[in-house]
Amino acid sequence: MKALVYHGPGRKAWEDVPDATVAEPTDVVVKVETTTICGTDLHILQGDVAAVTDGRILGHEAVGTITAVGDAVRGFSVGDRVLVPAITKCGRCEYCQRGMPSHCQTVGGIGWIFGHLIDGTQAEYVRVPYADTSLYLVPPEVTDEQAIFLADSLPTGYEVGVLAGGVRPGHTVAVVGAGAVGLSAVLTTGLWGASKVIAIDSNKFRLEKALEFGATDAIEVGPGTVSDVVGLTDGLGVDVAIEAVGYPETLLTAASLVRPGGTIANVGVHGTPVELPMQDMWIANVTLTMGLVDTVSIPTLLKMVASGRIPAEKMGTHSFTFDQIDEAYDVFANAAANLALKVVITP
């Protein structure tokens, strides 16, 4: 089969590799019919993730059809159309039992293993461990292009942003960063009845998309960003500030927007230390949350997509075939210049 293989910082290749096969009784093999690229894949290619070594197949999101099933698998059969999420879970360890499969002990202490600790989904076929507790059947009324964004970006924005932030009916919410994950947070705040959702970004295209996705207001980053947001919230600041970028300055911006008693939900992946103004935050009774997605919200999100409540397909702005995967990476790596959110890659 063919797959996209990592060969060290800045080097990848679409090449022939051994076929994916059932290696353990709990495995299945899935023929990949739709995949996508995540910002984490770009970090890997920059050499930022030391655990990813030469020869690893990249990718951690897929929709496809099961072609082989291990002897211990009971919930799935050959021919089932399934969503392969970014997080793999055994379902039995302490963290899985606590609803935190992002730290599944059985698969290595972190649920994100595809394209990281084992071969990933940017391939014609992928081996999926612990299939019974990790895979999700895709309802017939949900398209591949809708389902693919439930593998990572939508659950991330929803779980680490909206749910961790404690968004409730009537709340005012600021989303700092209107990339794929920030837009996923915008898209799902409505499920909890936010009265005002303010998208903040430096890119006009993303702000336009944020308004399409349900934001009530869009603010372009500038000297007056904080005062503009405060002005939209009766001078109080927002109840929940969701940081979806991962830079020190964007987290500081989120911290400056939240009102006393509010919550900062950090979703962005930070690669450097951040110095927070704790001298101001502690006395304002501010809560700061952070974490890795667990993807436990996928069943709920699948229902919302199937009902038409969440138009997940809006996330995809560009389509490519496997043979065009290098072009897909170029477009995604230069998303702002290419007016791109997420790319959809199919055979």
Side-chain angles (χ1 to χ4, degrees):
M1 70 177 195
K2 285 188 173 294
L4 189 70
V5 181
Y6 174 73
H7 289 299
R11 294 183 292 128
K12 62 182 179 354
W14 181 252
E15 61 189 47
D16 289 315
V17 298
D19 290 344
T21 59
V22 169
E24 299 290 341
T26 55
D27 292 350
V28 303
V29 174
V30 173
K31 180 182 181 183
V32 176
E33 286 151 358
T34 307
T35 187
T36 186
I37 302 169
C38 177
T40 306
D41 297 318
L42 301 182
H43 281 293
I44 290 169
L45 284 169
Q46 291 167 2
D48 296 339
V49 186
V52 181
T53 55
D54 188 353
R56 175 69 66 226
I57 296 172
L58 296 172
H60 52 265
E61 303 156 88
V63 178
T65 301
I66 294 177
T67 59
V69 177
D71 292 340
V73 175
R74 296 292 179 264
F76 297 94
S77 303
V78 171
D80 286 345
R81 189 167 68 108
V82 293
L83 169 66
V84 182
I87 300 297
T88 301
K89 56 180 180 287
C90 74
R92 298 187 302 275
C93 73
E94 179 178 351
Y95 284 101
C96 283
Q97 291 294 312
R98 288 173 56 187
M100 289 180 62
S102 57
H103 294 279
C104 177
Q105 297 299 290
T106 307
V107 300
I110 184 167
W112 166 46
I113 59 175
F114 290 117
H116 180 206
L117 305 181
I118 69 170
D119 286 335
T121 59
Q122 290 170 10
E124 292 179 319
Y125 294 86
V126 61
R127 179 181 74 89
V128 180
Y130 296 99
D132 276 333
T133 47
S134 299
L135 291 176
Y136 298 89
L137 285 170
V138 180
E141 61 270 32
V142 176
T143 67
D144 286 6
E145 187 168 331
Q146 290 174 314
I148 189 61
F149 302 121
L150 273 68
D152 190 350
S153 56
L154 266 169
T156 297
Y158 182 53
E159 293 177 16
V160 191
V162 177
L163 294 184
V167 176
R168 292 295 181 268
H171 272 178
T172 55
V173 180
V175 179
V176 182
V181 172
L183 288 172
S184 295
V186 170
L187 202 57
T188 54
T189 48
L191 299 178
W192 288 91
S195 64
K196 189 180 290 290
V197 181
I198 306 163
I200 302 164
D201 203 285
S202 58
N203 184 280
K204 287 185 171 63
F205 168 73
R206 289 178 171 180
L207 291 175
E208 291 170 2
K209 286 294 181 183
L211 293 171
E212 289 181 24
F213 281 37
T216 57
D217 301 272
I219 293 178
E220 188 172 356
V221 172
T225 298
V226 174
S227 59
D228 288 345
V229 172
V230 171
L232 289 169
T233 57
D234 299 323
L236 298 174
V238 297
D239 295 290
V240 182
I242 298 173
E243 195 284 334
V245 183
Y247 293 143
E249 55 268 33
T250 50
L251 183 54
L252 289 170
T253 296
S256 67
L257 299 176
V258 71
R259 68 179 65 185
T263 300
I264 305 160
N266 179 83
V267 188
V269 178
H270 290 268
T272 58
V274 183
E275 185 175 329
L276 290 170
M278 297 299 292
Q279 72 279 6
D280 300 322
M281 293 170 62
W282 77 269
I283 203 169
N285 295 74
V286 170
T287 298
L288 173 63
T289 66
M290 64 196 79
L292 178 63
V293 67
D294 289 299
T295 66
V296 293
S297 65
I298 286 177
T300 298
L301 294 174
L302 272 172
K303 291 177 183 177
M304 294 295 99
V305 171
S307 70
R309 184 72 184 276
I310 297 178
E313 69 279 359
K314 285 188 175 183
M315 299 293 297
T317 55
H318 293 68
S319 297
F320 301 92
T321 63
F322 282 155
D323 289 340
Q324 298 171 310
I325 199 163
D326 283 336
E327 183 182 351
Y329 263 86
D330 289 341
V331 167
F332 186 68
N334 299 283
N338 290 295
L339 304 183
L341 296 178
K342 292 284 281 186
V343 299
V344 177
I345 306 170
T346 59

